[in-house]
């Protein structure tokens, strides 16, 4: 599906583009420049045929260029050659015309266009290029096949909404550059061919022809380069940087994306947050005034643990108020066996309160349970409070709760749940439990998002920014049986964590012993070792992470050892960084807001591919360029590479069988 259609400002705002262009033989004006003041002028216009309407011998042709639309007219009283050419035109044909600007008749004025009061009768016409029938409509935002919009991206970009997004993206990066330059930042480019290092995602590797058997890596981020710039005495750096990670695509992630990379010396976490906040306010004020900020400036600061406990995720959508309540303590002595066993096992029981939904039908309630199961929950109990009653006679029977659990959960227990969650008699309470809290909270977070969309809890055209702080520095990875950084290994620990690590190094010189002690500590208290990391979140997305950075080789090596890197690997992959830190590296910090996700939030777009000019498919393919594609045997020879076809996945072999370059040689 295409992105939601937006009002193309360039078609309605006369000041959106400069009204003059460098005139030449192709055009004297662009197609968004002519107004009633131009009546009587002889003009030359060029562009694409946008629409054609035949009104009984009078042809109305809407001409489109990058800037806008102008209506052309050709009546059957025109010279036969001119009228025949106009009759033969097809959509998306490229033409050049000359004519004299005239007023439109009052009943044909279009107030939605800058040029809506004029038209240009065609005096001469040249067809500069014809067009094959497009695979989807260009002149409207009707649904189109997603793969076709990528394969024919050059056509898709002609549409009003995609073009408006590309234009707005350019304005956004221009304003970012202006803002940061005024703040004293300088823009520095860092290499795209760099060194492979264990930073989280899988690297894209580039084989070296000059050094057979050795590879460059495309940068997952300029992280190490920008820290080295701080060592080099640069005070404030930024870059609109490309970042490439060999990971599966999803709605908010592509293998290559663009980020605003910034770093500055002698920075504390709050300095970095304040800078980003000021930037967001500037972008909103200048480019996105039609969007409502539902969180006020200064934006909320939520702790990581609060987000997990209250919303089930560290990137909650705060545009709607649907919190997860911990009601475990209310069921320590329940007669409901399932909940009693959950509490006994050390699990938790949580509740969501859907405001003013007590009157949902039984079918709607059953559908809620199905939605909960699809969200990953093992089950869900809905509960409806009894209606308010004014009867006060001693013989009056107390109204009963209606619930999916029948009478297994008592009225008294439900009453306590209602009190703790501050629900009213008009609300619907949803309850779920599990022996392990983490997956329960994750599933409730998914359900929370489903409910928000299903019941229209999200205000339209809105963004809710917030900062999440107090992230754990390290977390136990049970699958790999090691400690992992929650973000990356260059994050500076918080003050108390620094003291803990310093003491640990003194009491346990052996890195393996240090890791063992910390593992025990973190398994009992995941927040025992916090970091200076923060995240900027909006509308359920993480827009960026930032932090103060480690700037001494001793601490950096200690963290690398704690996450399982051997000294030999550290020296092989990070000697350049550790060596630099020994030459007086200053304290520093920074962040890297994603340009793509930032645009998604401000423009209310749900898929990242719709804010990228040339995106990949979900499987990482560029259907327009037909990439990735197999190298030629000569290229492999130059790089001293050989592909192990015996161990390729079957679907890859089938793909190669269809490839002309390889078919005869391999099969």
């Amino acid at each position: 599906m295409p992105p939601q259609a937006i009002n193309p400002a360039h078609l309605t705002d006369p000041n959106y583009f400069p009204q003059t262009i460098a005139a030449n033989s192709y055009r004297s004006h662009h197609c968004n420049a002519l107004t009633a003041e131009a009546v009587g002028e002889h003009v030359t216009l060029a562009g694409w045929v946008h629409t054609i309407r035949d009104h009984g011998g009078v042809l109305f042709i809407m001409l489109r260029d990058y800037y806008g639309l102008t209506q052309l007219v050709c009546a059957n009283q025109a010279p036969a050659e001119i009228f025949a050419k106009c009759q033969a035109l097809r959509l998306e044909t490229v033409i050049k015309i000359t004519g004299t600007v005239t007023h439109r008749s009052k009943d044909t004025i279009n107030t939605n266009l800058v040029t809506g009061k004029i038209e240009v009768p065609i005096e001469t016409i040249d067809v500069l290029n014809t067009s094959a029938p497009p695979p989807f409509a260009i002149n409207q935002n009707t649904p189109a096949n997603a793969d076709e919009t990528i394969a024919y991206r050059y056509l898709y970009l002609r549409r009003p909404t995609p073009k408006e997004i590309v234009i707005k993206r350019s304005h956004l990066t221009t304003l970012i550059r202006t803002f940061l330059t005024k703040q004293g930042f300088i823009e520095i480019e860092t290499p795209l061919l760099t060194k492979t290092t264990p930073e989280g995602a899988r690297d894209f590797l580039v084989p070296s022809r000059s050094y057979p058997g050795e590879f460059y890596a495309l940068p997952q981020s300029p992280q190490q380069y920008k820290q080295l710039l701080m060592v080099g005495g640069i005070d404030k750096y930024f870059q609109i940087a490309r970042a490439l990670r060999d990971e599966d695509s999803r709605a908010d992630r592509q293998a290559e994306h663009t980020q605003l990379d910034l770093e500055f010396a002698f920075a504390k976490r709050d300095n970095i947050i304040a800078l980003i906040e000021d930037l967001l306010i500037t972008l909103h004020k200048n480019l996105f005034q039609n969007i409502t900020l539902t969180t006020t400036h200064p934006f909320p600061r939520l702790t990581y643990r609060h987000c997990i406990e209250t919303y089930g995720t560290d990137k909650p959508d705060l545009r709607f108020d649907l919190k997860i309540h911990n009601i475990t303590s209310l069921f320590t002595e329940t007669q409901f066996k399932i909940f009693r066993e959950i509490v006994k096992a050390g699990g938790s029981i949580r509740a969501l309160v859907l405001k003013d939904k007590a009157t949902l039908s039984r079918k709607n309630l059953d559908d809620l349970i199905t939605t909960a199961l699809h969200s990953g929950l093992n089950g869900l109990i809905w509960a409806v409070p009894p209606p308010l009653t004014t009867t006060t006679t001693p013989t009056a029977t107390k109204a009963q709760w209606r619930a999916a659990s029948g009478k297994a959960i008592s009225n008294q227990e439900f009453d306590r749940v209602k009190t703790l969650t501050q629900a009213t008699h008009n609300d619907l309470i949803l309850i779920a439990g599990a022996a392990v809290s983490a997956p329960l909270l994750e599933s409730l977070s998914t359900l929370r998002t489903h409910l928000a969309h299903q019941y229209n809890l999200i205000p339209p055209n809105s963004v809710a920014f917030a900062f999440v702080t107090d992230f754990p520095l390290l977390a136990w990875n049970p699958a790999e049986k090691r400690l992992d950084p929650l973000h990356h290994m260059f994050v500076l620990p918080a003050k108390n964590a620094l003291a803990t690590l310093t003491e640990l190094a003194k009491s346990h010189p052996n890195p393996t012993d240090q890791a063992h002690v910390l593992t025990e500590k973190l398994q009992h208290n995941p927040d025992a070792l916090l970091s200076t990391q923060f995240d900027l979140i909006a509308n359920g997305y993480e827009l960026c992470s930032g932090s103060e950075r480690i700037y001494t080789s001793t601490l950096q090596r200690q963290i690398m050892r704690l996450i399982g890197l051997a000294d030999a690997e550290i020296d092989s992959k990070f000697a350049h960084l550790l060596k630099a830190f020994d030459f007086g590296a200053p304290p520093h910090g920074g962040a890297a807001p994603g340009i793509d996700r930032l645009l998604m939030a401000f423009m209310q777009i749900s898929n990242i591919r719709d804010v990228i000019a040339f995106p990949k498919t979900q499987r990482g393919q560029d259907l327009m360029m037909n990439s990735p594609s197999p190298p030629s045997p000569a290229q492999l020879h130059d790089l001293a590479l050989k592909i192990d076809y015996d161990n390729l996945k079957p679907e890859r072999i089938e793909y190669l069988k269809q490839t002309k370059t390889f078919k005869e040689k391999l099969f």
Side-chain angles (χ1 to χ4, degrees), residues 405-645:
S405 57
K407 296 183 178 180
I409 298 176
S410 69
N411 273 6
Q412 292 76 15
E413 287 172 322
F414 279 132
D415 286 340
R416 290 195 290 270
V417 170
K418 181 183 173 185
T419 300
L420 190 151
T421 60
Q422 298 183 325
T424 72
H425 67 284
N426 293 319
D427 301 335
L428 175 67
I429 301 175
L430 306 175
I431 303 174
V436 181
S437 294
L440 170 66
L441 289 167
E442 186 177 337
S443 297
L444 284 171
S445 174
T446 303
L447 176 62
R448 177 180 181 268
T449 303
H450 278 304
L451 295 174
H453 288 284
Q454 183 174 351
Y455 293 105
N456 299 316
L457 305 182
I458 302 174
N461 299 320
S462 62
V463 177
F465 289 117
F467 291 99
V468 181
T469 63
D470 294 347
F471 281 82
L473 179 71
L474 302 170
W476 176 247
N477 182 335
E480 300 293 335
K481 293 183 169 52
R482 69 178 185 218
L483 292 171
D484 277 348
L486 209 67
H487 183 42
H488 59 58
M489 68 182 79
F490 309 113
V491 173
L492 184 71
K495 186 175 180 180
N496 290 343
L498 273 173
T500 299
L501 290 169
T502 301
E503 180 58 35
L504 188 63
K506 292 177 181 177
S507 60
H508 296 79
N510 187 297
T512 303
D513 293 339
Q514 291 180 32
H516 178 73
V517 171
L518 275 185
T519 299
E520 290 289 325
K521 193 180 188 72
L522 294 176
Q523 286 179 335
H524 287 92
N525 179 12
D527 295 333
L529 210 67
L530 298 181
S531 74
T532 58
Q533 179 193 341
F534 68 87
D535 279 2
L536 168 66
I537 61 170
N539 299 7
Y541 297 108
E542 173 211 320
L543 299 189
C544 87
S545 286
S547 72
E548 297 173 46
R549 317 297 192 193
I550 295 171
Y551 58 94
T552 67
S553 61
T554 301
L555 179 59
Q556 186 65 79
R557 185 179 288 273
Q558 183 183 12
I559 294 297
M560 290 175 173
R561 286 169 168 172
L562 285 173
I563 64 174
L565 297 182
D567 279 343
E569 185 176 8
I570 293 171
D571 292 334
S572 168
K573 295 181 176 179
F574 298 102
H576 57 281
L577 187 67
L578 298 176
K579 183 188 296 183
F581 286 172
D582 288 335
F583 285 91
H588 58 278
I595 298 293
D596 312 295
R597 291 183 185 177
L598 189 59
L599 204 59
M600 287 172 66
F602 271 129
M603 299 195 76
Q604 309 288 285
I605 293 169
S606 60
N607 198 301
I608 192 171
R609 69 168 177 263
D610 293 322
V611 299
I612 297 174
F614 296 101
K616 304 289 190 293
T617 66
Q618 190 170 358
R619 297 189 65 184
Q621 292 177 296
D622 182 342
L623 300 179
M624 181 181 66
M625 301 288 286
N626 193 28
S627 69
S629 58
S632 69
Q635 288 173 313
L636 289 175
H637 180 268
D638 287 345
L639 296 169
L641 293 178
K642 183 178 180 180
I643 298 175
D644 183 4
Y645 294 100

Side-chain angles (χ1 to χ4, degrees), residues 71-309:
Q71 181 166 282
L72 312 178
V73 183
C74 185
N76 52 16
Q77 293 90 352
E81 181 185 359
I82 301 295
F83 190 74
K85 277 189 176 182
C86 289
Q87 276 190 313
L89 291 175
R90 295 294 178 263
L91 298 182
E92 298 308 307
T93 297
V94 185
I95 61 174
K96 181 187 84 170
I97 67 95
T98 62
T100 302
V101 181
T102 63
H103 287 288
R104 289 196 193 194
S105 61
K106 288 186 178 180
D107 58 334
T108 62
I109 288 175
N110 185 347
T111 57
N112 293 321
L113 294 179
V114 174
T115 62
K117 292 183 178 180
I118 61 94
E119 59 191 17
V120 181
I122 296 174
E123 297 174 9
T124 67
I125 179 171
D126 293 318
V127 175
L128 302 179
N129 207 346
T130 58
S131 173
F136 46 78
I138 305 296
N139 54 20
Q140 52 189 311
N141 285 306
T142 51
N145 179 275
D147 283 351
E148 285 189 340
T149 66
I150 294 175
Y152 295 91
R153 200 64 174 183
Y154 43 86
L155 296 180
Y156 188 66
L157 290 173
R158 294 182 189 176
R159 281 184 158 200
T161 293
K163 183 168 76 174
E164 184 74 9
I165 293 170
V166 169
I167 293 170
K168 191 69 80 171
R169 183 180 180 122
S170 174
H171 292 174
L172 178 119
T173 54
T174 298
L175 185 55
I176 286 172
R177 285 187 164 100
T178 301
F179 173 87
L180 290 174
T181 300
K182 287 181 179 179
Q183 296 284 337
F185 285 78
I186 62 171
E187 186 169 8
I188 303 174
E189 295 175 346
T190 55
L192 284 177
L193 292 176
T194 182
K195 184 180 181 70
T196 179
T197 56
E199 291 187 34
R202 190 181 293 110
D203 285 323
F204 281 106
L205 297 179
V206 180
S208 169
R209 178 185 55 81
S210 300
Y211 301 93
E214 298 187 1
F215 295 78
Y216 299 103
L218 300 180
Q220 296 185 33
S221 77
Q223 180 65 44
Q224 294 184 59
Y225 283 109
K226 65 180 179 179
Q227 289 192 247
L228 292 167
L229 285 171
M230 299 300 102
V231 181
I234 301 299
D235 195 59
K236 296 179 178 180
Y237 141 91
F238 85 96
Q239 178 184 189
I240 306 297
R242 303 291 286 162
L244 301 104
R245 298 167 187 174
D246 188 4
E247 55 190 7
D248 295 334
S249 297
R250 60 189 188 197
D252 65 341
R253 183 174 71 192
Q254 287 249 317
E256 52 181 319
H257 66 275
T258 307
Q259 62 189 41
L260 164 59
D261 203 57
L262 58 89
E263 199 85 4
F264 52 114
F266 304 103
K268 301 297 288 184
R269 184 192 69 183
D270 289 352
N271 301 133
I272 309 166
I273 288 177
L275 176 77
I276 293 172
E277 193 164 34
D278 287 346
L279 173 60
L280 293 173
I281 294 298
T282 300
L283 294 174
H284 177 256
K285 179 180 177 181
N286 288 275
L287 297 178
F288 304 103
Q289 290 180 326
N290 61 314
I291 296 297
T292 300
L293 297 184
T294 59
T295 48
T296 57
H297 175 67
F299 300 134
R301 297 192 187 186
L302 312 173
T303 68
Y304 169 82
R305 192 57 55 194
H306 171 79
C307 287
I308 296 297
E309 290 291 323

